[in-house]
Amino acid sequence: MKIIEKIDRCHEAISAVRPFEGHMLKQLKDYYRIGLTWSSNAIEGNTLTISETKVVLEDGLTVAGRPLRDLYETVGHGNAYNFMFTLIRENRISTTDIKAMHRLFFKEIDEENAGIWRKEPIIVTGTDYAFPHPGELDGHMSELEDWIAKERSKYHPVTFAGLLHLKFVSIHPFIDGNGRASRLIMNLALIQDGYQLAIIPPVLRAEYNDAIRQYQNKGNPEPFCDFIAERVYETQKEIMRLLHIPLPDIK
């Protein structure tokens, strides 16, 4: 059975016990706020453990011996995650939304560049992909916004989310924080369509980056979309375990 078919079977089973409301919704939101913040930051080199991330986000405490930037990244990502959930009932992802999420994440790290398209060219280590020149960013991001609005319904929601991530990260519109922004908007697309988050553990960092490079260097999005689908499926299974929902027959 293909991964998308497995996802749809689980999606049906989870949807049968919806809607998630009140205390249950808050519990799920808070649970994944920790996991997504920790994993997304760790992929980029943040040194906080998942337990330390929980202490920073839930208790508002600092962690001795950790770089100040790592703490700012954790608090900022948590704030951007909260904002992401305010858009859950919208049927849009605009450049204004994307800038707002980046501003929340980045303002304590570099206030001058938070939520602002970069003003200089960038070179990303690990790839020889040529990212757009700063003068082209307004056009590329406007095209991406149009693509979201016009093409979204043509794809399975999980495939669309993967493609959105690829398109955004290949534009790289910010001076820093593009990876985390791409994972936030990908997950925004998923939750808007009623699907679970795609959480990428740092142990899969190499596989994740290799799949991005296959798109950027060869124009092949399939490996990345399959990779993201697997991550959504893992989250579905975890939610079903937590809520005692029987796993459907997916042999």
Side-chain angles (χ1 to χ4, degrees), residues 52-85:
E52 290 169 340
T53 299
K54 178 179 170 65
V55 166
V56 171
L57 290 182
E58 291 193 348
D59 302 329
L61 301 176
T62 58
V63 180
R66 296 301 190 191
L68 192 58
R69 180 182 173 114
D70 287 5
L71 299 175
Y72 285 151
E73 287 178 348
T74 300
V75 173
H77 192 284
N79 290 336
Y81 175 91
N82 288 341
F83 176 73
M84 178 182 78
F85 267 84

Side-chain angles (χ1 to χ4, degrees), residues 117-201:
W117 302 151
R118 57 182 165 84
K119 301 178 180 67
E120 57 190 74
I122 54 167
I123 298 173
V124 177
T125 57
T127 178
D128 59 359
Y129 181 77
F131 294 93
H133 186 272
E136 302 171 334
L137 292 174
D138 277 331
H140 279 289
M141 291 305 296
S142 179
E143 288 174 5
L144 180 62
E145 188 174 43
D146 288 344
W147 177 82
I148 293 169
K150 296 175 182 176
E151 302 294 320
R152 185 171 189 167
S153 62
K154 297 179 181 179
Y155 298 96
H156 187 282
V158 176
T159 302
F160 170 79
L163 290 172
L164 175 58
H165 178 301
L166 286 174
K167 287 177 178 291
F168 177 86
V169 83
S170 298
I171 297 171
H172 241 66
F174 299 114
I175 194 65
D176 195 7
N178 292 283
R180 277 164 279 217
S182 66
R183 292 185 286 275
L184 281 166
I185 64 172
M186 171 182 69
N187 280 304
L188 172 57
L190 286 167
I191 63 173
Q192 283 179 340
D193 285 325
Y195 285 77
Q196 276 61 52
L197 300 175
I199 297 179
I200 303 161

